[in-house]
mmCIF file with all atom_site columns, all heavy atoms in Angstrom:
data_model
loop_
_atom_site.group_PDB
_atom_site.id
_atom_site.type_symbol
_atom_site.label_atom_id
_atom_site.label_alt_id
_atom_site.label_comp_id
_atom_site.label_asym_id
_atom_site.label_entity_id
_atom_site.label_seq_id
_atom_site.pdbx_PDB_ins_code
_atom_site.Cartn_x
_atom_site.Cartn_y
_atom_site.Cartn_z
_atom_site.occupancy
_atom_site.B_iso_or_equiv
_atom_site.pdbx_formal_charge
_atom_site.auth_seq_id
_atom_site.auth_comp_id
_atom_site.auth_asym_id
_atom_site.auth_atom_id
_atom_site.pdbx_PDB_model_num
ATOM 1   N N   . ALA A 1 1  ? -79.422  192.212 112.101 1.00 97.00 ? 3  ALA A N   1
ATOM 2   C CA  . ALA A 1 1  ? -78.598  192.289 113.319 1.00 97.00 ? 3  ALA A CA  1
ATOM 3   C C   . ALA A 1 1  ? -77.302  193.046 113.045 1.00 97.00 ? 3  ALA A C   1
ATOM 4   O O   . ALA A 1 1  ? -76.889  193.898 113.842 1.00 97.00 ? 3  ALA A O   1
ATOM 5   C CB  . ALA A 1 1  ? -78.299  190.890 113.842 1.00 97.00 ? 3  ALA A CB  1
ATOM 6   N N   . ASP A 1 2  ? -76.676  192.773 111.912 1.00 96.00 ? 4  ASP A N   1
ATOM 7   C CA  . ASP A 1 2  ? -75.437  193.473 111.550 1.00 96.00 ? 4  ASP A CA  1
ATOM 8   C C   . ASP A 1 2  ? -75.678  194.964 111.334 1.00 96.00 ? 4  ASP A C   1
ATOM 9   O O   . ASP A 1 2  ? -74.875  195.798 111.754 1.00 96.00 ? 4  ASP A O   1
ATOM 10  C CB  . ASP A 1 2  ? -74.823  192.868 110.283 1.00 96.00 ? 4  ASP A CB  1
ATOM 11  C CG  . ASP A 1 2  ? -74.237  191.481 110.504 1.00 96.00 ? 4  ASP A CG  1
ATOM 12  O OD1 . ASP A 1 2  ? -74.083  191.059 111.679 1.00 96.00 ? 4  ASP A OD1 1
ATOM 13  O OD2 . ASP A 1 2  ? -73.944  190.811 109.486 1.00 96.00 ? 4  ASP A OD2 1
ATOM 14  N N   . ALA A 1 3  ? -76.773  195.306 110.684 1.00 97.00 ? 5  ALA A N   1
ATOM 15  C CA  . ALA A 1 3  ? -77.073  196.712 110.392 1.00 97.00 ? 5  ALA A CA  1
ATOM 16  C C   . ALA A 1 3  ? -77.228  197.545 111.656 1.00 97.00 ? 5  ALA A C   1
ATOM 17  O O   . ALA A 1 3  ? -76.909  198.732 111.666 1.00 97.00 ? 5  ALA A O   1
ATOM 18  C CB  . ALA A 1 3  ? -78.336  196.814 109.539 1.00 97.00 ? 5  ALA A CB  1
ATOM 19  N N   . PHE A 1 4  ? -77.693  196.922 112.732 1.00 98.00 ? 6  PHE A N   1
ATOM 20  C CA  . PHE A 1 4  ? -77.899  197.644 113.987 1.00 98.00 ? 6  PHE A CA  1
ATOM 21  C C   . PHE A 1 4  ? -76.830  197.330 115.024 1.00 98.00 ? 6  PHE A C   1
ATOM 22  O O   . PHE A 1 4  ? -76.918  197.771 116.163 1.00 98.00 ? 6  PHE A O   1
ATOM 23  C CB  . PHE A 1 4  ? -79.301  197.359 114.534 1.00 98.00 ? 6  PHE A CB  1
ATOM 24  C CG  . PHE A 1 4  ? -80.381  197.770 113.576 1.00 98.00 ? 6  PHE A CG  1
ATOM 25  C CD1 . PHE A 1 4  ? -81.318  196.860 113.131 1.00 98.00 ? 6  PHE A CD1 1
ATOM 26  C CD2 . PHE A 1 4  ? -80.438  199.060 113.070 1.00 98.00 ? 6  PHE A CD2 1
ATOM 27  C CE1 . PHE A 1 4  ? -82.298  197.220 112.221 1.00 98.00 ? 6  PHE A CE1 1
ATOM 28  C CE2 . PHE A 1 4  ? -81.414  199.438 112.158 1.00 98.00 ? 6  PHE A CE2 1
ATOM 29  C CZ  . PHE A 1 4  ? -82.344  198.518 111.733 1.00 98.00 ? 6  PHE A CZ  1
ATOM 30  N N   . GLY A 1 5  ? -75.816  196.591 114.620 1.00 97.00 ? 7  GLY A N   1
ATOM 31  C CA  . GLY A 1 5  ? -74.708  196.286 115.522 1.00 97.00 ? 7  GLY A CA  1
ATOM 32  C C   . GLY A 1 5  ? -75.119  195.458 116.719 1.00 97.00 ? 7  GLY A C   1
ATOM 33  O O   . GLY A 1 5  ? -74.510  195.568 117.788 1.00 97.00 ? 7  GLY A O   1
ATOM 34  N N   . SER A 1 6  ? -76.123  194.619 116.571 1.00 97.00 ? 8  SER A N   1
ATOM 35  C CA  . SER A 1 6  ? -76.611  193.809 117.688 1.00 97.00 ? 8  SER A CA  1
ATOM 36  C C   . SER A 1 6  ? -75.535  192.834 118.155 1.00 97.00 ? 8  SER A C   1
ATOM 37  O O   . SER A 1 6  ? -74.966  192.093 117.370 1.00 97.00 ? 8  SER A O   1
ATOM 38  C CB  . SER A 1 6  ? -77.864  193.034 117.280 1.00 97.00 ? 8  SER A CB  1
ATOM 39  O OG  . SER A 1 6  ? -78.273  192.182 118.329 1.00 97.00 ? 8  SER A OG  1
ATOM 40  N N   . GLN A 1 7  ? -75.304  192.838 119.463 1.00 94.00 ? 9  GLN A N   1
ATOM 41  C CA  . GLN A 1 7  ? -74.342  191.926 120.070 1.00 94.00 ? 9  GLN A CA  1
ATOM 42  C C   . GLN A 1 7  ? -75.033  190.722 120.698 1.00 94.00 ? 9  GLN A C   1
ATOM 43  O O   . GLN A 1 7  ? -74.372  189.791 121.158 1.00 94.00 ? 9  GLN A O   1
ATOM 44  C CB  . GLN A 1 7  ? -73.513  192.662 121.130 1.00 94.00 ? 9  GLN A CB  1
ATOM 45  C CG  . GLN A 1 7  ? -72.721  193.826 120.578 1.00 94.00 ? 9  GLN A CG  1
ATOM 46  C CD  . GLN A 1 7  ? -71.751  193.405 119.491 1.00 94.00 ? 9  GLN A CD  1
ATOM 47  O OE1 . GLN A 1 7  ? -70.952  192.490 119.684 1.00 94.00 ? 9  GLN A OE1 1
ATOM 48  N NE2 . GLN A 1 7  ? -71.839  194.031 118.335 1.00 94.00 ? 9  GLN A NE2 1
ATOM 49  N N   . ASP A 1 8  ? -76.364  190.746 120.733 1.00 96.00 ? 10 ASP A N   1
ATOM 50  C CA  . ASP A 1 8  ? -77.123  189.672 121.372 1.00 96.00 ? 10 ASP A CA  1
ATOM 51  C C   . ASP A 1 8  ? -78.494  189.630 120.717 1.00 96.00 ? 10 ASP A C   1
ATOM 52  O O   . ASP A 1 8  ? -79.220  190.615 120.742 1.00 96.00 ? 10 ASP A O   1
ATOM 53  C CB  . ASP A 1 8  ? -77.244  189.952 122.869 1.00 96.00 ? 10 ASP A CB  1
ATOM 54  C CG  . ASP A 1 8  ? -78.034  188.899 123.616 1.00 96.00 ? 10 ASP A CG  1
ATOM 55  O OD1 . ASP A 1 8  ? -78.146  187.761 123.124 1.00 96.00 ? 10 ASP A OD1 1
ATOM 56  O OD2 . ASP A 1 8  ? -78.562  189.228 124.701 1.00 96.00 ? 10 ASP A OD2 1
ATOM 57  N N   . ARG A 1 9  ? -78.807  188.505 120.119 1.00 94.00 ? 11 ARG A N   1
ATOM 58  C CA  . ARG A 1 9  ? -80.122  188.401 119.483 1.00 94.00 ? 11 ARG A CA  1
ATOM 59  C C   . ARG A 1 9  ? -80.732  187.038 119.753 1.00 94.00 ? 11 ARG A C   1
ATOM 60  O O   . ARG A 1 9  ? -80.031  186.071 120.044 1.00 94.00 ? 11 ARG A O   1
ATOM 61  C CB  . ARG A 1 9  ? -80.026  188.646 117.992 1.00 94.00 ? 11 ARG A CB  1
ATOM 62  C CG  . ARG A 1 9  ? -79.390  187.527 117.215 1.00 94.00 ? 11 ARG A CG  1
ATOM 63  C CD  . ARG A 1 9  ? -79.426  187.839 115.715 1.00 94.00 ? 11 ARG A CD  1
ATOM 64  N NE  . ARG A 1 9  ? -79.040  186.685 114.952 1.00 94.00 ? 11 ARG A NE  1
ATOM 65  C CZ  . ARG A 1 9  ? -77.848  186.446 114.462 1.00 94.00 ? 11 ARG A CZ  1
ATOM 66  N NH1 . ARG A 1 9  ? -76.882  187.313 114.674 1.00 94.00 ? 11 ARG A NH1 1
ATOM 67  N NH2 . ARG A 1 9  ? -77.597  185.363 113.769 1.00 94.00 ? 11 ARG A NH2 1
ATOM 68  N N   . SER A 1 10 ? -82.032  186.989 119.663 1.00 93.00 ? 12 SER A N   1
ATOM 69  C CA  . SER A 1 10 ? -82.740  185.717 119.733 1.00 93.00 ? 12 SER A CA  1
ATOM 70  C C   . SER A 1 10 ? -83.848  185.752 118.693 1.00 93.00 ? 12 SER A C   1
ATOM 71  O O   . SER A 1 10 ? -84.327  186.807 118.298 1.00 93.00 ? 12 SER A O   1
ATOM 72  C CB  . SER A 1 10 ? -83.302  185.459 121.138 1.00 93.00 ? 12 SER A CB  1
ATOM 73  O OG  . SER A 1 10 ? -84.226  186.460 121.491 1.00 93.00 ? 12 SER A OG  1
ATOM 74  N N   . VAL A 1 11 ? -84.207  184.561 118.239 1.00 91.00 ? 13 VAL A N   1
ATOM 75  C CA  . VAL A 1 11 ? -85.197  184.431 117.183 1.00 91.00 ? 13 VAL A CA  1
ATOM 76  C C   . VAL A 1 11 ? -86.206  183.368 117.592 1.00 91.00 ? 13 VAL A C   1
ATOM 77  O O   . VAL A 1 11 ? -85.823  182.285 118.036 1.00 91.00 ? 13 VAL A O   1
ATOM 78  C CB  . VAL A 1 11 ? -84.534  184.014 115.850 1.00 91.00 ? 13 VAL A CB  1
ATOM 79  C CG1 . VAL A 1 11 ? -85.577  183.811 114.762 1.00 91.00 ? 13 VAL A CG1 1
ATOM 80  C CG2 . VAL A 1 11 ? -83.483  185.029 115.422 1.00 91.00 ? 13 VAL A CG2 1
ATOM 81  N N   . VAL A 1 12 ? -87.477  183.692 117.447 1.00 89.00 ? 14 VAL A N   1
ATOM 82  C CA  . VAL A 1 12 ? -88.541  182.722 117.637 1.00 89.00 ? 14 VAL A CA  1
ATOM 83  C C   . VAL A 1 12 ? -89.186  182.533 116.275 1.00 89.00 ? 14 VAL A C   1
ATOM 84  O O   . VAL A 1 12 ? -89.605  183.500 115.638 1.00 89.00 ? 14 VAL A O   1
ATOM 85  C CB  . VAL A 1 12 ? -89.591  183.195 118.662 1.00 89.00 ? 14 VAL A CB  1
ATOM 86  C CG1 . VAL A 1 12 ? -90.758  182.219 118.728 1.00 89.00 ? 14 VAL A CG1 1
ATOM 87  C CG2 . VAL A 1 12 ? -88.965  183.394 120.031 1.00 89.00 ? 14 VAL A CG2 1
ATOM 88  N N   . THR A 1 13 ? -89.233  181.286 115.832 1.00 82.00 ? 15 THR A N   1
ATOM 89  C CA  . THR A 1 13 ? -89.871  180.971 114.558 1.00 82.00 ? 15 THR A CA  1
ATOM 90  C C   . THR A 1 13 ? -91.200  180.297 114.847 1.00 82.00 ? 15 THR A C   1
ATOM 91  O O   . THR A 1 13 ? -91.242  179.275 115.537 1.00 82.00 ? 15 THR A O   1
ATOM 92  C CB  . THR A 1 13 ? -88.982  180.037 113.718 1.00 82.00 ? 15 THR A CB  1
ATOM 93  O OG1 . THR A 1 13 ? -87.724  180.674 113.501 1.00 82.00 ? 15 THR A OG1 1
ATOM 94  C CG2 . THR A 1 13 ? -89.623  179.728 112.376 1.00 82.00 ? 15 THR A CG2 1
ATOM 95  N N   . LEU A 1 14 ? -92.257  180.882 114.338 1.00 78.00 ? 16 LEU A N   1
ATOM 96  C CA  . LEU A 1 14 ? -93.594  180.317 114.490 1.00 78.00 ? 16 LEU A CA  1
ATOM 97  C C   . LEU A 1 14 ? -94.072  179.819 113.140 1.00 78.00 ? 16 LEU A C   1
ATOM 98  O O   . LEU A 1 14 ? -93.962  180.537 112.142 1.00 78.00 ? 16 LEU A O   1
ATOM 99  C CB  . LEU A 1 14 ? -94.579  181.374 114.997 1.00 78.00 ? 16 LEU A CB  1
ATOM 100 C CG  . LEU A 1 14 ? -94.318  181.954 116.371 1.00 78.00 ? 16 LEU A CG  1
ATOM 101 C CD1 . LEU A 1 14 ? -95.276  183.111 116.634 1.00 78.00 ? 16 LEU A CD1 1
ATOM 102 C CD2 . LEU A 1 14 ? -94.477  180.891 117.425 1.00 78.00 ? 16 LEU A CD2 1
ATOM 103 N N   . GLN A 1 15 ? -94.592  178.619 113.105 1.00 76.00 ? 17 GLN A N   1
ATOM 104 C CA  . GLN A 1 15 ? -95.206  178.099 111.891 1.00 76.00 ? 17 GLN A CA  1
ATOM 105 C C   . GLN A 1 15 ? -96.689  178.429 111.991 1.00 76.00 ? 17 GLN A C   1
ATOM 106 O O   . GLN A 1 15 ? -97.421  177.802 112.739 1.00 76.00 ? 17 GLN A O   1
ATOM 107 C CB  . GLN A 1 15 ? -94.986  176.584 111.790 1.00 76.00 ? 17 GLN A CB  1
ATOM 108 C CG  . GLN A 1 15 ? -93.530  176.193 111.728 1.00 76.00 ? 17 GLN A CG  1
ATOM 109 C CD  . GLN A 1 15 ? -92.816  176.755 110.505 1.00 76.00 ? 17 GLN A CD  1
ATOM 110 O OE1 . GLN A 1 15 ? -93.373  176.813 109.426 1.00 76.00 ? 17 GLN A OE1 1
ATOM 111 N NE2 . GLN A 1 15 ? -91.586  177.178 110.695 1.00 76.00 ? 17 GLN A NE2 1
ATOM 112 N N   . ARG A 1 16 ? -97.115  179.452 111.249 1.00 69.00 ? 18 ARG A N   1
ATOM 113 C CA  . ARG A 1 16 ? -98.513  179.870 111.296 1.00 69.00 ? 18 ARG A CA  1
ATOM 114 C C   . ARG A 1 16 ? -99.285  179.269 110.138 1.00 69.00 ? 18 ARG A C   1
ATOM 115 O O   . ARG A 1 16 ? -98.723  178.873 109.141 1.00 69.00 ? 18 ARG A O   1
ATOM 116 C CB  . ARG A 1 16 ? -98.594  181.385 111.244 1.00 69.00 ? 18 ARG A CB  1
ATOM 117 C CG  . ARG A 1 16 ? -98.043  182.034 112.484 1.00 69.00 ? 18 ARG A CG  1
ATOM 118 C CD  . ARG A 1 16 ? -98.131  183.507 112.352 1.00 69.00 ? 18 ARG A CD  1
ATOM 119 N NE  . ARG A 1 16 ? -98.657  184.071 113.575 1.00 69.00 ? 18 ARG A NE  1
ATOM 120 C CZ  . ARG A 1 16 ? -98.781  185.370 113.769 1.00 69.00 ? 18 ARG A CZ  1
ATOM 121 N NH1 . ARG A 1 16 ? -98.452  186.214 112.833 1.00 69.00 ? 18 ARG A NH1 1
ATOM 122 N NH2 . ARG A 1 16 ? -99.238  185.813 114.911 1.00 69.00 ? 18 ARG A NH2 1
ATOM 123 N N   . GLY A 1 17 ? -100.596 179.285 110.295 1.00 69.00 ? 19 GLY A N   1
ATOM 124 C CA  . GLY A 1 17 ? -101.467 178.861 109.214 1.00 69.00 ? 19 GLY A CA  1
ATOM 125 C C   . GLY A 1 17 ? -101.655 177.372 109.111 1.00 69.00 ? 19 GLY A C   1
ATOM 126 O O   . GLY A 1 17 ? -102.305 176.888 108.193 1.00 69.00 ? 19 GLY A O   1
ATOM 127 N N   . GLN A 1 18 ? -101.089 176.636 110.053 1.00 63.00 ? 20 GLN A N   1
ATOM 128 C CA  . GLN A 1 18 ? -101.319 175.198 110.057 1.00 63.00 ? 20 GLN A CA  1
ATOM 129 C C   . GLN A 1 18 ? -102.695 174.954 110.649 1.00 63.00 ? 20 GLN A C   1
ATOM 130 O O   . GLN A 1 18 ? -103.031 175.500 111.690 1.00 63.00 ? 20 GLN A O   1
ATOM 131 C CB  . GLN A 1 18 ? -100.238 174.486 110.860 1.00 63.00 ? 20 GLN A CB  1
ATOM 132 C CG  . GLN A 1 18 ? -98.869  174.658 110.255 1.00 63.00 ? 20 GLN A CG  1
ATOM 133 C CD  . GLN A 1 18 ? -97.776  174.034 111.100 1.00 63.00 ? 20 GLN A CD  1
ATOM 134 O OE1 . GLN A 1 18 ? -98.020  173.543 112.196 1.00 63.00 ? 20 GLN A OE1 1
ATOM 135 N NE2 . GLN A 1 18 ? -96.565  174.056 110.593 1.00 63.00 ? 20 GLN A NE2 1
ATOM 136 N N   . MET A 1 19 ? -103.465 174.149 109.999 1.00 54.00 ? 21 MET A N   1
ATOM 137 C CA  . MET A 1 19 ? -104.846 173.974 110.410 1.00 54.00 ? 21 MET A CA  1
ATOM 138 C C   . MET A 1 19 ? -105.051 172.886 111.455 1.00 54.00 ? 21 MET A C   1
ATOM 139 O O   . MET A 1 19 ? -106.159 172.523 111.764 1.00 54.00 ? 21 MET A O   1
ATOM 140 C CB  . MET A 1 19 ? -105.721 173.670 109.177 1.00 54.00 ? 21 MET A CB  1
ATOM 141 C CG  . MET A 1 19 ? -105.709 174.781 108.163 1.00 54.00 ? 21 MET A CG  1
ATOM 142 S SD  . MET A 1 19 ? -106.159 176.341 108.954 1.00 54.00 ? 21 MET A SD  1
ATOM 143 C CE  . MET A 1 19 ? -105.379 177.498 107.852 1.00 54.00 ? 21 MET A CE  1
ATOM 144 N N   . ASP A 1 20 ? -103.977 172.377 112.017 1.00 58.00 ? 22 ASP A N   1
ATOM 145 C CA  . ASP A 1 20 ? -104.119 171.398 113.091 1.00 58.00 ? 22 ASP A CA  1
ATOM 146 C C   . ASP A 1 20 ? -103.486 171.946 114.359 1.00 58.00 ? 22 ASP A C   1
ATOM 147 O O   . ASP A 1 20 ? -102.973 173.054 114.386 1.00 58.00 ? 22 ASP A O   1
ATOM 148 C CB  . ASP A 1 20 ? -103.521 170.041 112.707 1.00 58.00 ? 22 ASP A CB  1
ATOM 149 C CG  . ASP A 1 20 ? -102.037 170.124 112.362 1.00 58.00 ? 22 ASP A CG  1
ATOM 150 O OD1 . ASP A 1 20 ? -101.339 171.020 112.886 1.00 58.00 ? 22 ASP A OD1 1
ATOM 151 O OD2 . ASP A 1 20 ? -101.567 169.298 111.577 1.00 58.00 ? 22 ASP A OD2 1
ATOM 152 N N   . ALA A 1 21 ? -103.490 171.190 115.392 1.00 54.00 ? 23 ALA A N   1
ATOM 153 C CA  . ALA A 1 21 ? -102.993 171.655 116.696 1.00 54.00 ? 23 ALA A CA  1
ATOM 154 C C   . ALA A 1 21 ? -101.489 171.515 116.844 1.00 54.00 ? 23 ALA A C   1
ATOM 155 O O   . ALA A 1 21 ? -100.956 171.751 117.912 1.00 54.00 ? 23 ALA A O   1
ATOM 156 C CB  . ALA A 1 21 ? -103.693 170.885 117.815 1.00 54.00 ? 23 ALA A CB  1
ATOM 157 N N   . SER A 1 22 ? -100.776 171.174 115.784 1.00 54.00 ? 24 SER A N   1
ATOM 158 C CA  . SER A 1 22 ? -99.342  170.923 115.914 1.00 54.00 ? 24 SER A CA  1
ATOM 159 C C   . SER A 1 22 ? -98.490  172.150 115.607 1.00 54.00 ? 24 SER A C   1
ATOM 160 O O   . SER A 1 22 ? -97.348  172.016 115.224 1.00 54.00 ? 24 SER A O   1
ATOM 161 C CB  . SER A 1 22 ? -98.928  169.774 114.991 1.00 54.00 ? 24 SER A CB  1
ATOM 162 O OG  . SER A 1 22 ? -99.106  170.161 113.639 1.00 54.00 ? 24 SER A OG  1
ATOM 163 N N   . VAL A 1 23 ? -99.031  173.340 115.779 1.00 49.00 ? 25 VAL A N   1
ATOM 164 C CA  . VAL A 1 23 ? -98.256  174.557 115.565 1.00 49.00 ? 25 VAL A CA  1
ATOM 165 C C   . VAL A 1 23 ? -97.141  174.595 116.593 1.00 49.00 ? 25 VAL A C   1
ATOM 166 O O   . VAL A 1 23 ? -97.359  174.363 117.780 1.00 49.00 ? 25 VAL A O   1
ATOM 167 C CB  . VAL A 1 23 ? -99.149  175.813 115.686 1.00 49.00 ? 25 VAL A CB  1
ATOM 168 C CG1 . VAL A 1 23 ? -98.322  177.074 115.579 1.00 49.00 ? 25 VAL A CG1 1
ATOM 169 C CG2 . VAL A 1 23 ? -100.232 175.785 114.620 1.00 49.00 ? 25 VAL A CG2 1
ATOM 170 N N   . SER A 1 24 ? -95.939  174.870 116.132 1.00 53.00 ? 26 SER A N   1
ATOM 171 C CA  . SER A 1 24 ? -94.801  174.838 117.038 1.00 53.00 ? 26 SER A CA  1
ATOM 172 C C   . SER A 1 24 ? -94.010  176.125 116.961 1.00 53.00 ? 26 SER A C   1
ATOM 173 O O   . SER A 1 24 ? -94.076  176.850 115.982 1.00 53.00 ? 26 SER A O   1
ATOM 174 C CB  . SER A 1 24 ? -93.892  173.660 116.693 1.00 53.00 ? 26 SER A CB  1
ATOM 175 O OG  . SER A 1 24 ? -93.392  173.821 115.386 1.00 53.00 ? 26 SER A OG  1
ATOM 176 N N   . ALA A 1 25 ? -93.266  176.380 118.006 1.00 54.00 ? 27 ALA A N   1
ATOM 177 C CA  . ALA A 1 25 ? -92.361  177.524 118.051 1.00 54.00 ? 27 ALA A CA  1
ATOM 178 C C   . ALA A 1 25 ? -90.970  177.008 118.348 1.00 54.00 ? 27 ALA A C   1
ATOM 179 O O   . ALA A 1 25 ? -90.795  176.129 119.177 1.00 54.00 ? 27 ALA A O   1
ATOM 180 C CB  . ALA A 1 25 ? -92.790  178.513 119.127 1.00 54.00 ? 27 ALA A CB  1
ATOM 181 N N   . VAL A 1 26 ? -89.998  177.561 117.659 1.00 56.00 ? 28 VAL A N   1
ATOM 182 C CA  . VAL A 1 26 ? -88.613  177.199 117.879 1.00 56.00 ? 28 VAL A CA  1
ATOM 183 C C   . VAL A 1 26 ? -87.888  178.476 118.268 1.00 56.00 ? 28 VAL A C   1
ATOM 184 O O   . VAL A 1 26 ? -87.942  179.474 117.556 1.00 56.00 ? 28 VAL A O   1
ATOM 185 C CB  . VAL A 1 26 ? -87.978  176.601 116.603 1.00 56.00 ? 28 VAL A CB  1
ATOM 186 C CG1 . VAL A 1 26 ? -86.512  176.298 116.833 1.00 56.00 ? 28 VAL A CG1 1
ATOM 187 C CG2 . VAL A 1 26 ? -88.738  175.356 116.173 1.00 56.00 ? 28 VAL A CG2 1
#
């Protein structure tokens, strides 16, 4: 973000590779 001078960012974190149905996104 700093390298591109971003003034507004958002992040989605996905937990992949979980073998059950409890995969979540934050």
Side-chain angles (χ1 to χ4, degrees):
D4 289 348
F6 301 123
S8 176
Q9 300 301 308
D10 179 22
R11 73 176 190 262
S12 61
V13 177
V14 174
T15 302
L16 297 173
Q17 299 298 322
R18 292 179 134 176
Q20 297 176 355
M21 299 306 155
D22 59 28
S24 65
V25 175
S26 62
V28 177

